[in-house]
Amino acid sequence: MTAARRIVIDTDPGLGEPGSDIDDGLAIALALRSPELTVEALTVVNGNVDVDTGVDVARRLTRRLGHPDLPVLRGADRPLLRDMAPLRALFDDVVGDRPAVPTAADDRLGPTSDLTAAAYLVERAAACPGGITVVAIGPLTNLALALRLDPGFAQNVAEIVMMAGSATGYAQNITVVGDFNAYVDPEALAMVLASGARLRMVGIDQTSRVRLTRDDAAALSRGDSFGRWAGECALAWIDFLARAFPLREEHRDACFLHDPLVVAAVLDPSLCTWADAHVATDTTSELARGLVVADRGLALAPPPGPPNASVAVDTDVPGFGHLFLDRLTGTPAGD
Ligand code: RIB
Ligand code: CA
């Protein structure tokens, strides 16, 4: 068996926080329960939740998963340029007032080190050139700050595999143009796309094809203590989405497993079909903010530039589903 791939997960985890996406937490659980991967640390970024809530969620999650000493680093508390307030308000408007965060601010668990997420990413990649893969499943702010701190990070990091944008079409997310991670910080995504780092992108066109149903949540609940808790959180999140988006049938009985697909694509790249593309994002307009275009040279005009990323253009949905439930519940799917 080849050596486990060393990864750092850059994340905006909300699992367990009422009214927040559960997918980062399930992605972290999948990574920690997959022998093909060695998770070296979690670096937390503002996104689904504010960064301090994200750090607290990450610390409690690693304890639940039996990795209490896993490094958890605090990263950016806001996007490079954009103001989070309107987006937080939109979430509150669109999905209704979030229930009070159960963890009072002074009860939160802090990071395991005073090192910032960007400094940690730079230091680890420089200490082990080509040895660390960053799985970026939140807004790309920490990665952009790491590039600002040390442009050599782009060459030192083995690969950045990110959940962002879309490659083949759009499934509506927080805005008409799509993915939340690109929308929150399009300037950060643009910096990563221009960095020269080895990039893979799994867009919302693919991640919205893999879903966790109420039956899947019940299967999780039949697992261990983490599974029982995660199953309850999943059902609560599906109920939340059904209330918040009553016109979207896909949220009546399921939620998307955006971030777990990215982790799965790292441990088994054959789960997706990949194509080289020139990927760019819009940072100039409000209407198309965070729009991602992955040009694979299929159009009449030549691509605006050479390929800068490998993008997922298809997904083995059943294969992912089996892997996900197998690893999360510890029982081969179909048992
Ligand atoms: O658009 C989906 C992405 O935004 C996922 O990473 C989800 O966790 C949110 O961060
Ligand atoms: Ca995320």
Side-chain angles (χ1 to χ4, degrees), residues 11-14 21-24 47-48 91 136-139 163-165 173-174 178-182 184 204 207 258-259 262:
T11 175
D12 57 337
D21 208 323
I22 64 171
D23 63 334
D24 291 72
N48 285 320
F91 255 77
I137 53 177
M163 197 274 118
N173 190 255
I174 190 62
D179 160 62
F180 176 83
N181 290 340
V184 166
I204 199 164
T207 65
H258 300 293
D259 298 336
V262 184

Side-chain angles (χ1 to χ4, degrees), residues 200-211:
R200 269 192 284 160
M201 182 182 90
V202 184
I204 199 164
D205 54 317
Q206 302 304 316
T207 65
S208 56
R209 295 173 60 193
V210 290
R211 299 178 184 178

